[in-house]
Amino acid sequence: MSKNAGARKSAKAARTGAKTTARRKMARPRRREIVAKSPQRGAHELAGQNREIAVSEFFAKNRHLLGFDNPSKALLTTVKELVDNSLDAADEARIPADVEIRIDQLAEDRFRVVCTDNGPGIPPESVPLVFGKLLYGSKFHRLRMSRGQQGIGVSAAGMYGLMTTGHPVRVISRVSEHQPAKRFEIAIDTAKNHPAVRKEAEVDWPYEHGTSVEIELEAAYRKGQHSVDSYIRQISLANPHARLVYLPPGRETDDEAIVYDRVTSELPPETAEIKPHPYGVELGVLMQWLRESRSRNLSGFLTSEFSRVSTRTAAEICRNANLEPSQKPSKLDRARAEALHKGIAATKIMAPPTDCIAPIGKELLESALQAIHPADFATAVSRRPTVYRGNPFLVEAALAYGGALSHDDPALVYRYANRVPLQYQVGGCAITRAVTSTDWKKYGLQQPRGAPPLGPMVVMVHIASVWVPFTSESKEAIAHYPEIIKEIKLALQDCGRRLATHIRRRKRLADEEKKRSYIEKYIPHLAIALQEILELTDKQREKTEASLTEMLERSRKL
C-alpha cells in the first residue's frame, strides 16, 4: 500500500470516529444543574402560601362531616335541622309546637323543603346571621338541654342548597301580630362566613308569629328505615306534645298530608341553665378561665364559675391544693393551676343539678310508642340522672312487644338524643353497643351474638343531657362513654325483666287455653262412654260431665 493511501485511510477513520463521538454526545441527556435554594427563601415562599380558612369554606369542602354525604341523606339532614330548630324555638317560648313540613319534587334530583312553625319568630336583625353564618347560635355556651348545640345545622343546610342549586335560603319570620312579617333571601359568603342578604321585604303572612324556611336543594327521596318518613314518625314519638303535619313528595293534593297529633297537651318541663361542674373541667380550660377571671380571689372564682361549689367547698379545694383562697386567680402559674386541678379531683363535690334536663316520662313514652306500634305489651323506664365528665345526663328506655310486629326479624331499635332521632352510624353508637351487649336470652328472647334480639319488639332509648357527646358534627351517633353505656344497659335490663314476666304469663295462659280445649273436646266423649258402661240416664250423664269438667278445671288452675 502506498503512503498516500494509508494517509487517506487514517483521515477517513478519524472523520468517522469524530462523527460517532458527536452522535453519542448528542444522544446523551444534558445534565440539569441543580441550584439549591437557601432555607430562608424556601421558608418565606411556603409561608406566603398560608391563608386563613373560614369555617364555612372548610365545611363547604367537607360537607360529609355535617351529614350531606349523598342525595338521600342530604334531604333527611335538611328536614332534621329545620324541624329541630322549630321545636326548640317553640319549647323555649313555652308554646305548644305546630310544625308543618312540606317537600315538593321539582325535578328528578331537585326538591324544595319548606318548614313552617308557630314559634316566637326571629327578630329581623338576627335572621341573616341565624341562616347565613356558621357557628352562630345561642346554645353552644349554655349548659342546658336543647336539640341543637353548635349553631351549624340550619345554616349548613342553606349552604348546601346554595352550592347545589344556586338558590338562596328564603325565610319569612314574624315576632308579633303588631309587627309586619319580613321575607329574606340569604346566601352565605363561604370565604368570609358572612351572610349576604339578596332581598328583604315586608310581606302579608297569615300567622301571628312564627317562622317559615324554604330551601331548594339537589337530593333524592327514598323510603325505608333511613327515610324522611321514618324520621317524622320517630320524632313524633319523642315529642308527644307537638303536632306535626307532613306533606311528602309525590302527593297529588295537600289533603294527603300525614298528621301526627299531640298525645298530650302538657309541655315538657322548662329546663334551667347551669354552670359547669368542677369534675368536668380539663387543665388547659381551667388555666384559660383563671387567666380571664375578674374575681378578686380564688375562692370567689370557684364559687362563681362552677356549680355545686359553696364557700366551704371552695375552701376545702384550696386546702387540698395547698393554695391560699385569697390568691388572685389571674396570677396563678401553670404549676399552681395543676395543683388546683388535682385539688378539685381530691374534693368530694355534690353532683350537678338536674333541673337542666327534661325527660319525656315513662307514661308518655308508653302511650306514644303504642300510638305508633300498637302492641300486646309496652313498658318504659326513666332512670335517675347521673354524670359523665361533670355533665348531667338521664337515660330513658321503652319497649313494645307483640301486635303486628314481625316475629322473625330483629327488633327495631330507635335511638334518641335530646328528643331527636339518630338514624345513621348505627354501629358506632353507644346505644347500639348497649342493646347488643345486653343478654336478652335471660328475658325469653332469641339473640344472635353481637346483634339485637329477634322477635316482635321495638326498643327505644333516649338520652337527655346538657351536652350530648356526639361522635361527629353531623350528630348521628353517641360516643362510647362507659357511664352512658352502663346506664342504658340498666334501663334495658329493667324493661327486660318486665317483658320476661309478660312472656311467662302469656305462655302460661297459652298452656291453660290448650288444656281447656282438651277438656272441652274430650269430656263429652268420656261422659258418653261412662253412660254406656254404667247404664246411666241422660241426666246422670250430664251431671257426670259437669263433675269431670269442674275437677279437671280445678287441677288445671293448680
Side-chain angles (χ1 to χ4, degrees):
M1 189 187 315
S2 65
K3 239 179 194 190
N4 291 335
R8 284 197 300 272
K9 256 187 193 180
S10 299
K12 185 176 180 182
R15 287 195 300 271
T16 305
K19 288 180 181 178
T20 304
T21 304
R23 282 197 298 270
R24 286 176 181 170
K25 285 183 178 179
M26 290 175 65
R28 289 178 188 166
R30 294 182 62 186
R31 293 184 180 178
R32 296 180 62 184
E33 294 185 4
I34 300 174
V35 180
K37 295 181 181 179
S38 66
Q40 292 82 6
R41 183 182 172 190
H44 285 299
E45 285 186 4
L46 290 173
Q49 297 173 8
N50 295 336
R51 67 182 182 89
E52 183 181 359
I53 303 172
V55 63
S56 52
E57 186 178 4
F58 172 79
F59 282 122
K61 291 183 178 180
N62 298 276
R63 58 194 184 191
H64 59 281
L65 297 176
L66 302 177
F68 297 93
D69 304 24
N70 55 68
S72 60
K73 192 175 177 183
L75 182 64
L76 172 63
T77 302
T78 299
V79 171
K80 172 183 176 297
E81 298 297 347
L82 293 175
V83 173
D84 288 357
N85 277 19
S86 294
L87 292 174
D88 263 342
D91 287 356
E92 289 194 20
R94 310 305 294 165
I95 299 171
D98 282 325
V99 183
E100 180 186 278
I101 307 99
R102 178 187 295 266
I103 304 178
D104 298 318
Q105 186 166 4
L106 308 178
E108 184 179 353
D109 62 346
R110 183 166 293 192
F111 292 80
R112 179 174 57 236
V113 179
V114 184
C115 182
T116 305
D117 63 62
N118 66 333
I122 304 171
E125 62 273 13
S126 298
V127 170
L129 293 171
V130 170
F131 295 95
K133 187 179 180 71
L134 268 69
L135 293 178
Y136 179 87
S138 61
K139 302 167 187 175
F140 185 83
H141 297 286
R142 295 187 307 172
L143 284 179
R144 178 182 177 185
M145 177 181 165
S146 62
R147 295 170 182 82
Q149 291 184 171
Q150 303 160 334
I152 291 179
V154 70
S155 50
M159 181 178 68
Y160 176 81
L162 180 67
M163 290 171 56
T164 55
T165 68
H167 285 279
V169 182
R170 300 178 180 91
V171 182
I172 300 175
S173 190
R174 190 177 188 180
V175 297
S176 169
E177 59 179 328
H178 305 295
Q179 297 184 24
K182 281 204 168 184
R183 185 177 189 271
F184 296 83
E185 290 189 5
I186 304 166
I188 299 180
D189 183 350
T190 55
K192 299 178 181 178
N193 189 30
H194 194 75
V197 179
R198 295 186 179 177
K199 288 184 182 179
E200 178 180 352
E202 293 183 2
V203 294
D204 291 330
W205 204 47
Y207 304 101
E208 294 181 359
H209 52 80
T211 304
S212 178
V213 185
E214 177 184 325
I215 297 176
E216 192 171 321
L217 70 157
E218 280 189 5
Y221 174 69
R222 302 278 188 272
K223 292 184 177 291
Q225 186 177 356
H226 302 303
S227 65
V228 176
D229 302 8
S230 176
Y231 167 79
I232 299 295
R233 182 172 64 252
Q234 289 184 45
I235 203 165
S236 70
L237 196 160
N239 298 271
H241 64 286
R243 181 177 184 269
L244 303 176
V245 179
Y246 173 47
L247 294 96
R251 66 188 184 282
E252 294 183 1
T253 65
D254 288 355
D255 294 336
E256 298 178 27
I258 302 170
V259 180
Y260 295 94
D261 280 318
R262 293 182 181 86
V263 176
T264 177
S265 57
E266 185 178 348
L267 292 173
E270 190 170 4
T271 56
E273 184 178 350
I274 65 169
K275 295 176 182 178
H277 194 270
Y279 286 165
V281 68
E282 294 170 325
L283 178 57
V285 177
L286 179 62
M287 291 173 62
Q288 181 181 348
W289 288 358
L290 287 167
R291 286 193 300 266
E292 297 173 352
S293 175
R294 296 183 179 180
S295 299
R296 295 181 179 179
N297 54 60
L298 188 55
S299 178
F301 166 78
L302 293 170
T303 55
S304 62
E305 294 293 333
F306 297 104
S307 66
R308 299 302 198 190
V309 178
S310 61
T311 305
R312 182 178 177 181
T313 305
E316 187 177 352
I317 291 173
C318 293
R319 185 167 57 252
N320 291 334
N322 291 322
L323 296 173
E324 290 294 329
S326 58
Q327 293 185 47
K328 194 167 185 178
S330 58
K331 300 297 183 182
L332 295 184
D333 57 14
R334 186 191 177 283
R336 286 184 287 180
E338 187 171 3
L340 179 63
H341 191 258
K342 292 179 179 178
I344 289 173
T347 305
K348 189 174 182 180
I349 304 172
M350 188 184 300
T354 57
D355 56 354
C356 53
I357 300 174
I360 300 171
K362 56 184 181 180
E363 291 82 8
L364 285 177
L365 278 174
E366 286 184 21
S367 55
L369 198 58
Q370 284 278 34
I372 294 178
H373 294 286
D376 303 331
F377 172 79
T379 186
V381 174
S382 188
R383 297 278 301 169
R384 294 180 62 184
T386 185
V387 178
Y388 75 94
R389 287 186 57 196
N391 296 311
F393 76 101
L394 176 146
V395 170
E396 296 178 291
L399 61 83
Y401 183 86
L405 296 167
S406 172
H407 286 68
D408 301 322
D409 295 330
L412 292 174
V413 179
Y414 291 158
R415 302 173 295 132
Y416 291 85
N418 286 356
R419 299 175 180 260
V420 178
L422 311 176
Q423 293 190 279
Y424 283 89
Q425 296 185 16
V426 177
C429 186
I431 295 177
T432 306
R433 170 74 66 85
V435 171
T436 55
S437 61
T438 299
D439 187 2
W440 293 97
K441 294 179 181 179
K442 291 181 179 178
Y443 311 119
L445 299 174
Q446 295 181 351
Q447 181 185 15
R449 172 172 287 193
L454 300 176
M457 188 169 72
V458 177
V459 179
M460 174 184 173
V461 177
H462 174 230
I463 295 178
S465 179
V466 297
W467 188 259
V468 180
F470 292 112
T471 57
S472 67
E473 293 84 355
S474 55
K475 299 181 293 186
E476 295 169 341
I478 297 169
H480 291 187
Y481 279 88
E483 302 94 329
I484 294 177
I485 294 177
K486 177 184 175 183
E487 280 296 307
I488 297 172
K489 290 186 70 173
L490 289 173
L492 292 173
Q493 288 166 0
D494 199 348
C495 290
R497 286 189 288 271
R498 301 178 190 180
L499 174 63
T501 302
H502 166 75
I503 291 175
R504 286 194 296 268
R505 184 186 300 116
R506 194 181 68 167
K507 186 177 180 181
R508 186 171 63 251
L509 291 174
D511 291 341
E512 290 178 358
E513 185 64 30
K514 189 176 180 180
K515 290 177 182 178
R516 183 183 294 112
S517 66
Y518 288 160
I519 293 171
E520 293 175 353
K521 182 177 181 180
Y522 294 112
I523 287 297
H525 296 285
L526 184 59
I528 293 172
L530 289 173
Q531 182 182 20
E532 293 176 355
I533 294 171
L534 302 175
E535 298 181 352
L536 302 176
T537 63
D538 290 342
K539 190 173 182 180
Q540 289 175 321
R541 176 180 57 78
E542 292 173 359
K543 186 177 179 180
T544 302
E545 183 178 341
S547 299
L548 287 172
T549 301
E550 182 182 355
M551 179 179 63
L552 291 174
E553 282 286 346
R554 189 164 55 248
S555 65
R556 178 180 63 82
K557 290 177 181 178
L558 291 175

PDB file of all heavy atoms in Angstrom, residues 32-43 45:
ATOM      1  N   ARG A  32     -28.977  18.513  34.203  1.00  0.00           N
ATOM      2  CA  ARG A  32     -29.511  19.792  34.680  1.00  0.00           C
ATOM      3  C   ARG A  32     -28.728  20.210  35.912  1.00  0.00           C
ATOM      4  O   ARG A  32     -28.465  19.412  36.809  1.00  0.00           O
ATOM      5  CB  ARG A  32     -30.992  19.654  35.030  1.00  0.00           C
ATOM      6  CG  ARG A  32     -31.841  19.319  33.815  1.00  0.00           C
ATOM      7  CD  ARG A  32     -33.291  19.189  34.202  1.00  0.00           C
ATOM      8  NE  ARG A  32     -33.793  20.452  34.740  1.00  0.00           N
ATOM      9  CZ  ARG A  32     -35.030  20.614  35.233  1.00  0.00           C
ATOM     10  NH1 ARG A  32     -35.835  19.578  35.259  1.00  0.00           N
ATOM     11  NH2 ARG A  32     -35.412  21.772  35.692  1.00  0.00           N
ATOM     12  N   GLU A  33     -28.394  21.417  35.915  1.00  0.00           N
ATOM     13  CA  GLU A  33     -27.700  21.942  37.077  1.00  0.00           C
ATOM     14  C   GLU A  33     -28.697  22.240  38.179  1.00  0.00           C
ATOM     15  O   GLU A  33     -29.686  22.938  37.944  1.00  0.00           O
ATOM     16  CB  GLU A  33     -26.933  23.211  36.708  1.00  0.00           C
ATOM     17  CG  GLU A  33     -25.789  22.944  35.741  1.00  0.00           C
ATOM     18  CD  GLU A  33     -24.999  24.218  35.501  1.00  0.00           C
ATOM     19  OE1 GLU A  33     -25.327  25.229  36.150  1.00  0.00           O
ATOM     20  OE2 GLU A  33     -24.075  24.188  34.678  1.00  0.00           O
ATOM     21  N   ILE A  34     -28.557  21.639  39.346  1.00  0.00           N
ATOM     22  CA  ILE A  34     -29.457  21.836  40.485  1.00  0.00           C
ATOM     23  C   ILE A  34     -28.911  22.959  41.342  1.00  0.00           C
ATOM     24  O   ILE A  34     -27.799  22.869  41.863  1.00  0.00           O
ATOM     25  CB  ILE A  34     -29.591  20.553  41.311  1.00  0.00           C
ATOM     26  CG1 ILE A  34     -30.154  19.433  40.431  1.00  0.00           C
ATOM     27  CG2 ILE A  34     -30.470  20.783  42.535  1.00  0.00           C
ATOM     28  CD1 ILE A  34     -30.185  18.091  41.105  1.00  0.00           C
ATOM     29  N   VAL A  35     -29.728  23.987  41.403  1.00  0.00           N
ATOM     30  CA  VAL A  35     -29.325  25.140  42.207  1.00  0.00           C
ATOM     31  C   VAL A  35     -30.088  25.079  43.515  1.00  0.00           C
ATOM     32  O   VAL A  35     -31.328  25.152  43.532  1.00  0.00           O
ATOM     33  CB  VAL A  35     -29.611  26.473  41.481  1.00  0.00           C
ATOM     34  CG1 VAL A  35     -29.180  27.644  42.352  1.00  0.00           C
ATOM     35  CG2 VAL A  35     -28.907  26.485  40.140  1.00  0.00           C
ATOM     36  N   ALA A  36     -29.442  24.860  44.600  1.00  0.00           N
ATOM     37  CA  ALA A  36     -30.096  24.751  45.909  1.00  0.00           C
ATOM     38  C   ALA A  36     -30.596  26.112  46.364  1.00  0.00           C
ATOM     39  O   ALA A  36     -29.879  27.112  46.273  1.00  0.00           O
ATOM     40  CB  ALA A  36     -29.108  24.185  46.927  1.00  0.00           C
ATOM     41  N   LYS A  37     -31.864  26.112  46.785  1.00  0.00           N
ATOM     42  CA  LYS A  37     -32.415  27.344  47.347  1.00  0.00           C
ATOM     43  C   LYS A  37     -31.942  27.496  48.781  1.00  0.00           C
ATOM     44  O   LYS A  37     -31.756  26.523  49.496  1.00  0.00           O
ATOM     45  CB  LYS A  37     -33.948  27.299  47.328  1.00  0.00           C
ATOM     46  CG  LYS A  37     -34.552  27.281  45.947  1.00  0.00           C
ATOM     47  CD  LYS A  37     -36.066  27.264  46.046  1.00  0.00           C
ATOM     48  CE  LYS A  37     -36.698  27.223  44.662  1.00  0.00           C
ATOM     49  NZ  LYS A  37     -38.182  27.180  44.749  1.00  0.00           N
ATOM     50  N   SER A  38     -31.847  28.680  49.192  1.00  0.00           N
ATOM     51  CA  SER A  38     -31.475  28.919  50.580  1.00  0.00           C
ATOM     52  C   SER A  38     -32.649  28.571  51.479  1.00  0.00           C
ATOM     53  O   SER A  38     -33.806  28.748  51.080  1.00  0.00           O
ATOM     54  CB  SER A  38     -31.097  30.387  50.786  1.00  0.00           C
ATOM     55  OG  SER A  38     -32.225  31.213  50.595  1.00  0.00           O
ATOM     56  N   PRO A  39     -32.411  28.037  52.683  1.00  0.00           N
ATOM     57  CA  PRO A  39     -33.516  27.695  53.586  1.00  0.00           C
ATOM     58  C   PRO A  39     -34.420  28.877  53.868  1.00  0.00           C
ATOM     59  O   PRO A  39     -35.636  28.731  53.981  1.00  0.00           O
ATOM     60  CB  PRO A  39     -32.787  27.227  54.850  1.00  0.00           C
ATOM     61  CG  PRO A  39     -31.437  26.808  54.395  1.00  0.00           C
ATOM     62  CD  PRO A  39     -31.093  27.704  53.243  1.00  0.00           C
ATOM     63  N   GLN A  40     -33.851  30.072  53.966  1.00  0.00           N
ATOM     64  CA  GLN A  40     -34.663  31.250  54.267  1.00  0.00           C
ATOM     65  C   GLN A  40     -35.642  31.550  53.128  1.00  0.00           C
ATOM     66  O   GLN A  40     -36.819  31.833  53.362  1.00  0.00           O
ATOM     67  CB  GLN A  40     -33.753  32.460  54.513  1.00  0.00           C
ATOM     68  CG  GLN A  40     -32.912  32.373  55.781  1.00  0.00           C
ATOM     69  CD  GLN A  40     -31.665  31.537  55.575  1.00  0.00           C
ATOM     70  OE1 GLN A  40     -31.384  31.112  54.452  1.00  0.00           O
ATOM     71  NE2 GLN A  40     -30.928  31.290  56.660  1.00  0.00           N
ATOM     72  N   ARG A  41     -35.178  31.407  51.884  1.00  0.00           N
ATOM     73  CA  ARG A  41     -36.045  31.690  50.738  1.00  0.00           C
ATOM     74  C   ARG A  41     -37.193  30.685  50.656  1.00  0.00           C
ATOM     75  O   ARG A  41     -38.339  31.040  50.438  1.00  0.00           O
ATOM     76  CB  ARG A  41     -35.211  31.657  49.465  1.00  0.00           C
ATOM     77  CG  ARG A  41     -36.014  32.013  48.223  1.00  0.00           C
ATOM     78  CD  ARG A  41     -35.148  31.908  46.984  1.00  0.00           C
ATOM     79  NE  ARG A  41     -35.944  32.072  45.791  1.00  0.00           N
ATOM     80  CZ  ARG A  41     -35.486  31.846  44.557  1.00  0.00           C
ATOM     81  NH1 ARG A  41     -34.232  31.449  44.390  1.00  0.00           N
ATOM     82  NH2 ARG A  41     -36.262  32.011  43.506  1.00  0.00           N
ATOM     83  N   GLY A  42     -36.890  29.364  50.857  1.00  0.00           N
ATOM     84  CA  GLY A  42     -37.934  28.340  50.815  1.00  0.00           C
ATOM     85  C   GLY A  42     -38.965  28.527  51.904  1.00  0.00           C
ATOM     86  O   GLY A  42     -40.172  28.372  51.671  1.00  0.00           O
ATOM     87  N   ALA A  43     -38.529  28.900  53.102  1.00  0.00           N
ATOM     88  CA  ALA A  43     -39.467  29.109  54.210  1.00  0.00           C
ATOM     89  C   ALA A  43     -40.402  30.260  53.923  1.00  0.00           C
ATOM     90  O   ALA A  43     -41.609  30.196  54.193  1.00  0.00           O
ATOM     91  CB  ALA A  43     -38.683  29.364  55.501  1.00  0.00           C
ATOM     92  N   GLU A  45     -41.319  31.394  50.952  1.00  0.00           N
ATOM     93  CA  GLU A  45     -42.260  31.012  49.900  1.00  0.00           C
ATOM     94  C   GLU A  45     -43.392  30.155  50.461  1.00  0.00           C
ATOM     95  O   GLU A  45     -44.557  30.332  50.096  1.00  0.00           O
ATOM     96  CB  GLU A  45     -41.521  30.254  48.796  1.00  0.00           C
ATOM     97  CG  GLU A  45     -40.680  31.159  47.902  1.00  0.00           C
ATOM     98  CD  GLU A  45     -40.078  30.390  46.750  1.00  0.00           C
ATOM     99  OE1 GLU A  45     -40.385  29.180  46.632  1.00  0.00           O
ATOM    100  OE2 GLU A  45     -39.313  30.980  45.980  1.00  0.00           O
TER     101      GLU A  45
END
